[in-house]
């Protein structure tokens, strides 16, 4: 399976990314099966970095091959729908930086800006989880695959990278 990762640099050897801010499925290396989603993320990342460095950064899309045979035996979790189980995991990962779910690979929906707003309502206690799940049923949500351990990263291999073109980072 081909996977994409948007960045402002070529990443031949992926690593687990840790930050002060919680991510949907916790710390890890995030990819998607959707080329355009990775391109948008690369452009956004390059734009943010360009503002910080005051230099034009490249919007780089890295392409990987995921070998599912190498992933056999790993602890994986698939959350294909923005349902209650998905919501619970995302809320835990985003709100508690010390939370570790124990999965090597997690795949599921991505909490984009629209979805993220709903999650913030739940985290703030403004919206019930049941209402959030109902609201999310109407959202078109893209996917993501998070490689959460070094062992999981061994199941992907770098193929190539390319520059996402024809977009001005100032538009994002």
């Amino acid at each position: 399976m081909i996977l994409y990762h948007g960045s402002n640099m070529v990443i031949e050897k992926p690593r687990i990314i840790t930050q002060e801010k919680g991510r949907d499925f916790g710390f890890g290396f995030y990819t998607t099966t959707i080329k355009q989603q990775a391109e948008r993320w690369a452009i956004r990342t390059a734009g943010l970095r360009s503002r910080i460095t005051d230099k034009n950064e490249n919007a780089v899309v890295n392409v990987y091959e995921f070998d599912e045979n190498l992933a056999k035996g790993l602890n994986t979790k698939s959350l294909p729908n923005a349902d209650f189980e998905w919501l619970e995991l995302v809320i835990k990962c985003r709100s508690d930086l010390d939370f570790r779910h124990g999965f090597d690979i997690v795949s599921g929906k991505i909490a984009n800006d629209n979805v993220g707003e709903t999650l913030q309502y739940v985290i703030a206690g403004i919206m019930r989880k049941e209402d959030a799940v109902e609201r999310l049923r109407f959202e078109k949500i893209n996917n993501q695959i998070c490689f959460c351990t070094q062992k999981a990263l061994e199941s992907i291999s770098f193929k190539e990278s390319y520059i996402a073109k024809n977009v001005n980072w100032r538009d994002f």
Side-chain angles (χ1 to χ4, degrees), residues 104-167:
D104 295 300
I105 301 172
V106 181
S107 63
K109 300 299 183 186
I110 186 170
N112 61 18
D113 292 341
N114 295 339
V115 176
E117 180 180 90
T118 300
L119 289 172
Q120 288 306 317
Y121 291 154
V122 173
I123 292 169
I126 297 169
M127 181 182 286
R128 295 178 327 136
K129 291 177 184 174
E130 296 80 5
D131 295 331
V133 168
E134 183 63 25
R135 180 179 184 181
L136 294 174
R137 281 188 24 205
F138 301 102
E139 292 285 340
K140 181 182 184 298
I141 308 173
N142 290 337
N143 70 42
Q144 61 187 342
I145 301 170
C146 180
F147 294 83
C148 305
T149 63
Q150 188 59 43
K151 187 139 181 87
L153 286 175
E154 294 170 10
S155 65
I156 61 174
S157 58
F158 178 80
K159 292 297 178 197
E160 64 179 331
S161 64
Y162 66 91
I163 306 296
K165 303 238 185 236
N166 299 326
V167 177

Side-chain angles (χ1 to χ4, degrees), residues 1-3 63-68 155-159:
M1 172 187 333
I2 299 297
L3 300 176
V63 183
Y64 303 92
E65 177 75 33
F66 174 49
D67 186 336
E68 295 177 67
S155 65
I156 61 174
S157 58
F158 178 80
K159 292 297 178 197

